[in-house]
Amino acid sequence: MEINMTFLGQMISFAILVWFTTKFIWPQLNGAIEERQKKVAEGLAAAERARAELKDADAKVAVEIKQARLQATEIIDKAQQQANQLLEKARAEATGEINRLKAQAQDEIASMAQRAREQLREQVGALAVRGAEKIVQREIDPAAHRALLDQLAAEI
Amino acid sequence: MASEPQGGLTEYIQHHLGHLTVNFSTDHGAFWNLRIDSLVVSFVLGAAFCLWFWLYARKATSGVPSKGQALVELAIEFVDTQVKDTFHGDRRTVTPLALSIFMWVFFMNAMDLLPVDLAGWLVHTFAGAEVAEHTHFRAVPTADINTTVGLSLAVILIVIGHGIKAKGGFGYGKEMLTAPFHAESLWAKAILLIPNLLLNVVETLSKPVSLAMRLFGNMYGGELVFMLIAGLMVSWIGFVPGVVFNTAWAIFHILIIALQAFIFMMLTIVYIATAREHH
């Protein structure tokens, strides 16, 4: 255990070592470590943010889907209503048309029957006149007996 | 071992405790001895540490680190955490200091795990028995009191430097005279001047002495035990227990190696932190 000048040498070595570490080793490595720490922290923060955003988006999507569904139901209801209305209207129109046509046809039928009756009456009058002519021959002047013949025709 | 002279275990150990020494001035006493083994081994280890860390520092990336960089960063962050916990201030010079101390002392302590006879065997093999007889080589620089004294003196100079930087030259000198005993009146202060100064001198001196002696004692003792165990292996009877003890002691010593490096580093940080405190 003797102290000799070796320790001076060791002090110098130590000084060099500390200088080298301070100058060339510590700053670079510590810089890298700190930068990485920052990056990792930023990455974690970004992930957290993204997660929150995703949650927000999910909520928004849910609301939107609900709204869309509501709207769709509304549209369907309205369409159904409209269809019903149209159907109703068409039915009413069709019924009206049918009734009108029916009335028209009945009118026509009635007038045609009237006309036929009149014709028939005239023809029967004429036939009666002709029959009477045949019976009484010249005795009856159609012109003179016109009023009588018309009366007869009306009575038939 | 078989080539050792007939002096037996005592001489074997004495031989192993000798240093590879160069004397620059024989007639002026032992102080001018230079222990080449301590110097060279510690210098090589310090350079190895520098090279290793520098290689990774040079291409340090803040992206995904390589395994090597991760290992280096692990050491750095370990040291930085210790410094951060103890020392509250600008760490830009303190952590590199602590890192240097930790890694260097750790490396030097780790030389203890080399077989005690490795150096002797190499000399014996390459230079012959005659040279080996007169050559001494000790691989553990921290088992040399000069290394630990050199380290601790450098550390205490840095600590004092921190104290002066934090308080100014005048403030530091004043604190030497007025702390730890405080007084209100002037004459009480004058009386306390001497005890305060004495206490502070003792306190300041005790720091490097305790640092140096603790590390030296641990490593020297550990080395001695290795030598004693190696002495066991001389005979065939002692060979097996020798191997067992050697292994056990080496495994236990891994703890001592790391622990002593850690203690040296920790105490340095604590000393710097207290030196920067105002009393």
Side-chain angles (χ1 to χ4, degrees):
Chain A
M1 215 181 101
E2 66 170 64
I3 301 272
N4 53 38
M5 66 185 283
T6 311
F7 88 87
L8 285 174
Q10 298 287 25
M11 280 176 80
I12 295 163
S13 299
F14 180 62
I16 296 169
L17 183 67
V18 169
W19 169 79
F20 188 88
T21 312
T22 314
K23 188 104 181 156
F24 295 108
I25 292 171
W26 171 251
Q28 283 85 341
L29 280 168
N30 192 49
I33 290 171
E34 274 173 2
E35 203 167 307
R36 179 160 345 105
Q37 276 173 340
K38 220 168 74 193
K39 269 187 195 169
V40 168
E42 274 167 11
L44 286 176
E48 195 55 47
R49 231 177 10 250
R51 200 174 299 145
E53 268 166 26
L54 186 68
K55 218 172 160 186
D56 271 12
D58 273 351
K60 232 180 260 175
V61 164
V63 167
E64 221 126 284
I65 285 176
K66 214 171 167 184
Q67 239 165 15
R69 206 168 280 160
L70 252 155
Q71 240 165 7
T73 338
E74 233 167 78
I75 288 170
I76 289 170
D77 277 1
K78 224 182 257 176
Q80 223 147 26
Q81 247 170 8
Q82 223 160 16
N84 281 348
Q85 267 173 2
L86 276 175
L87 209 64
E88 204 66 30
K89 211 168 129 194
R91 193 173 289 150
E93 263 170 30
T95 321
E97 185 78 14
I98 287 167
N99 288 343
R100 202 174 55 80
L101 284 175
K102 214 155 72 179
Q104 212 177 337
Q106 262 165 357
D107 277 4
E108 234 163 85
I109 289 167
S111 70
M112 265 161 83
Q114 186 67 30
R115 222 179 310 141
R117 208 173 289 142
E118 237 142 80
Q119 269 176 5
L120 198 62
R121 203 178 291 150
E122 267 170 35
Q123 273 171 7
V124 167
L127 273 175
V129 170
R130 212 171 295 160
E133 261 177 15
K134 285 243 172 99
I135 295 164
V136 268
Q137 235 25 30
R138 299 161 322 192
E139 270 176 50
I140 296 168
D141 180 8
H145 298 95
R146 180 90 227 163
L148 189 72
L149 285 173
D150 278 348
Q151 198 192 340
L152 196 73
E155 268 170 27
I156 298 172
Chain B
M1 267 159 276
S3 66
E4 287 297 324
Q6 49 271 49
L9 191 60
T10 314
E11 202 173 322
Y12 169 77
I13 285 173
Q14 268 171 356
H15 178 84
H16 273 271
L17 286 180
H19 277 278
L20 182 65
T21 311
V22 170
N23 197 312
F24 285 104
S25 177
T26 334
D27 35 335
H28 288 99
F31 185 78
W32 298 104
N33 286 338
L34 201 58
R35 289 177 172 170
I36 301 295
D37 45 5
S38 295
L39 274 177
V40 168
V41 170
S42 61
F43 192 84
V44 166
L45 290 173
F49 155 69
C50 283
L51 187 70
W52 177 28
F53 274 50
W54 177 70
L55 279 177
Y56 286 109
R58 207 171 41 124
K59 48 179 190 195
T61 163
S62 63
V64 180
S66 61
K67 275 184 185 169
Q69 194 191 327
L71 179 66
V72 167
E73 280 179 6
L74 207 68
I76 283 185
E77 283 196 273
F78 166 70
V79 173
D80 197 33
T81 312
Q82 303 302 328
V83 176
K84 213 185 293 178
D85 287 346
T86 318
F87 175 74
H88 310 287
D90 187 9
R91 300 201 304 280
R92 268 177 308 176
T93 55
V94 178
T95 306
L97 171 73
L99 180 71
S100 308
I101 290 172
F102 181 68
M103 292 309 293
W104 201 30
V105 173
F106 182 80
F107 273 20
M108 290 194 288
N109 289 354
M111 290 303 106
D112 224 352
L113 295 175
L114 291 179
V116 278
D117 278 311
L118 182 69
W121 177 77
L122 285 175
V123 173
H124 194 266
T125 310
F126 291 106
E130 189 57 38
V131 182
E133 190 77 25
H134 302 290
T135 311
H136 304 273
F137 191 88
R138 278 174 67 184
V140 193
T142 39
D144 176 1
I145 187 85
N146 288 287
T147 306
T148 59
V149 166
L151 252 174
S152 59
L153 275 182
V155 163
I156 204 64
L157 286 180
I158 291 168
V159 168
I160 291 171
H162 270 284
I164 291 173
K165 207 181 159 199
K167 298 160 191 164
F170 180 74
Y172 186 78
K174 193 180 152 213
E175 207 158 86
M176 287 289 271
L177 301 175
T178 56
F181 299 122
H182 300 279
E184 293 302 319
S185 58
L186 199 66
W187 67 271
K189 270 184 185 170
I191 287 175
L192 289 174
L193 217 74
I194 304 297
N196 273 339
L197 182 65
L198 272 174
L199 266 170
N200 278 314
V201 166
V202 168
E203 193 195 341
T204 310
L205 283 181
S206 71
K207 283 173 182 172
V209 170
S210 73
L211 271 181
M213 294 310 280
R214 181 183 304 107
L215 183 58
F216 165 73
N218 270 284
M219 298 328 289
Y220 188 85
E223 210 190 4
L224 209 60
V225 172
F226 270 121
M227 287 172 195
L228 283 169
I229 292 170
L232 259 183
M233 293 189 238
V234 178
S235 72
W236 284 111
I237 305 165
F239 188 78
V240 174
V243 170
V244 172
F245 289 149
N246 203 38
T247 311
W249 183 243
I251 290 168
F252 175 65
H253 222 68
I254 294 171
L255 175 72
I256 306 275
I257 286 165
L259 194 66
Q260 286 307 317
F262 178 72
I263 288 172
F264 205 106
M265 176 195 82
M266 237 15 244
L267 283 175
T268 306
I269 302 167
V270 170
Y271 290 162
I272 290 174
T274 44
R276 280 184 162 270
E277 265 170 24
H278 292 263
H279 294 288

